[in-house]
Amino acid sequence: MKAAVLKSFGSPLAIETVPVPVLGTGEVIVDIVATRVLSYMNEVFDGTRNYALDLPIIPGPGGIGRVRAIGPDATRLNVGDWVFCDPTVRSRDDVVAPDIALQGLTAAGPGGMRLQQHFRHGSFAEQMRLPTENVKRLGAITSEQATQWCALGTLLVPYGGFLAANLRPGETVLVSGATGNFGSAAVSVALAMGAACVVMPGRNETILADLVRRFGSRVQPVKLSGNEDHDREAMKRAAPGPVDCVLDIMPPSVNPTVVRAAIMTVRPYGRVALMGGVGMAGGAGLELPYPWIMRNCISIHGVWMYPPDAASRLIALVGAGLLRLEEYQTTAFDLDHANDAVAHAAANAGPFKMTVIRP
């Protein structure tokens, strides 16, 4: 089969013929129809992000495709089913604290790297092998719709944060990082989950205005000034009532004071989900006042990705019409032009923009 292979950091993807994946027990093979290209994939491939990758590897975190082959443990899947390939692979021998690898992207710790050695190759290929539990049925869709369904991979990340923070219908949410790719996805997911209002702080007034155009009166933009105390009060004033839940999904380049200002808008007994990159690129970490956390009974959740059932639950939100994939503007490339797709994704990052490879 044809695949795009990363052989060394800093080199272009090699488009070549590789062996087809071989089915094992507890596994499924999927014909990949469409797969998204992360906006920062160029930084993964050149080594800037220092992701844990055992090279050579076929990259690509998840995708949309059709089932080619199933193992004996699959009782609901059928050959030909349209499915989402969930890249979050978990070890099966410790359900309490499993090791995790993001298939085709990175791994966490020695256990995650062991997982990567087997479930190594991702979706920048004509076929992909996954654990059975990572293949989620979509129902009847068309090949053209597969491109749009790639947005699931982006939407799932903030969905995992809101699940961890136990977001309830009717609550007021603040999304720290709302003008980014994952942050704008968080706004749409929060509304789909029933949030009464989403407060959206940011510096880019054009993007804030576009979010208001898309989502109407249930979102409240806040232009950040850079003054921590001023911004905190401005965010509180924008909310129609107490802020019940804060999701931070800021990138590593952001000053921690911006994140702290957003977090400390949450009400007593409120919840905070941390999914951003503060401190990952060096520099100061996030400092929060111990007395404020303790006396106000603040719950703070660190969240990486999402629980195993999240993809199926998110697919149901799309099926019910509560979450609109049509918000995403997509640009598609074939597999022969995978390097062009990576460059395009980096140059066209932003809310509701998606670059896709169709093998």
Side-chain angles (χ1 to χ4, degrees):
M1 69 172 183
K2 186 186 294 184
V5 183
L6 180 66
K7 295 186 174 182
S8 62
F9 291 114
S11 65
L13 295 171
I15 313 302
E16 58 188 40
T17 300
V18 301
V20 297
V22 177
L23 183 70
T25 302
E27 298 173 355
V28 173
I29 294 176
V30 175
D31 289 323
I32 299 298
V33 175
T35 176
R36 85 193 198 284
V37 183
L38 298 172
S39 61
Y40 55 85
M41 273 299 216
N42 60 323
E43 296 179 5
V44 176
F45 296 162
D46 67 17
T48 300
R49 292 228 170 191
N50 197 30
Y51 275 21
L53 284 172
D54 189 9
L55 304 181
I57 195 170
I58 300 170
I64 305 297
R66 304 192 78 171
V67 173
R68 168 176 282 265
I70 56 177
D73 62 328
T75 62
R76 306 292 177 89
L77 287 171
N78 293 291
V79 172
D81 282 351
W82 282 99
V83 293
F84 168 65
C85 301
D86 183 351
T88 306
V89 178
R90 297 170 177 84
S91 59
R92 293 164 168 164
D93 52 354
D94 187 345
V95 296
V96 175
D99 289 302
I100 294 179
L102 300 184
Q103 190 170 357
L105 187 61
T106 189
M113 289 302 294
R114 287 180 60 189
L115 276 178
Q116 189 184 97
Q117 288 169 6
H118 183 69
F119 293 110
R120 175 196 213 82
H121 298 305
S123 52
F124 287 13
E126 293 178 323
Q127 296 178 28
M128 182 178 179
R129 181 187 64 186
L130 303 99
T132 303
E133 63 269 24
N134 285 60
V135 179
K136 315 292 186 179
R137 292 182 299 167
L138 295 176
I141 67 169
T142 66
S143 176
E144 292 73 22
Q145 290 171 327
T147 300
Q148 211 80 50
W149 275 93
C150 287
L152 281 180
T154 300
L155 294 160
L156 267 169
V157 175
Y159 185 54
F162 288 131
L163 290 177
N166 193 26
L167 174 61
R168 304 179 183 96
E171 290 192 322
T172 294
V173 176
L174 187 146
V175 175
S176 174
T179 57
N181 186 24
F182 285 106
S184 59
V187 173
S188 61
V189 168
L191 294 172
M193 294 175 71
C197 176
V198 180
V199 179
M200 311 178 305
R203 288 191 171 91
N204 190 318
E205 293 183 277
T206 301
I207 293 178
L208 290 174
D210 182 65
L211 290 169
V212 172
R213 178 189 63 81
R214 290 175 187 272
F215 299 115
S217 59
R218 290 172 66 195
V219 297
Q220 292 295 323
V222 179
K223 177 68 165 63
L224 295 176
S225 68
N227 180 288
E228 182 176 352
D229 294 334
H230 176 273
D231 288 340
R232 183 186 302 112
E233 294 308 311
M235 288 183 269
K236 286 182 177 181
R237 287 194 302 270
V243 175
D244 301 290
C245 176
V246 173
L247 173 70
D248 177 73
I249 199 157
M250 285 285 200
S253 58
V254 170
N255 191 308
T257 60
V258 178
V259 176
R260 182 169 59 230
I263 289 172
M264 293 186 68
T265 63
V266 77
R267 63 167 171 81
Y269 297 90
R271 293 100 58 203
V272 176
L274 302 180
M275 301 195 81
V278 168
M280 287 184 178
L286 178 63
E287 295 183 4
L288 292 171
Y290 187 111
W292 173 78
I293 297 172
M294 180 269 293
R295 290 172 181 166
N296 290 288
C297 301
I298 305 299
S299 297
I300 299 176
H301 305 262
V303 189
W304 192 47
M305 303 307 287
Y306 41 83
D309 65 340
S312 296
R313 295 169 67 177
L314 194 69
I315 290 166
L317 285 179
V318 176
L322 297 170
L323 188 60
R324 288 174 43 83
L325 302 181
E326 294 81 6
E327 296 288 346
Y328 282 85
Q329 174 189 345
T330 61
T331 304
F333 294 79
D334 60 28
L335 191 55
D336 286 331
H337 294 89
N339 287 298
D340 294 332
V342 172
H344 182 273
N348 294 273
F352 304 111
K353 293 180 180 179
M354 186 167 59
T355 302
V356 170
I357 292 173
R358 292 182 58 95

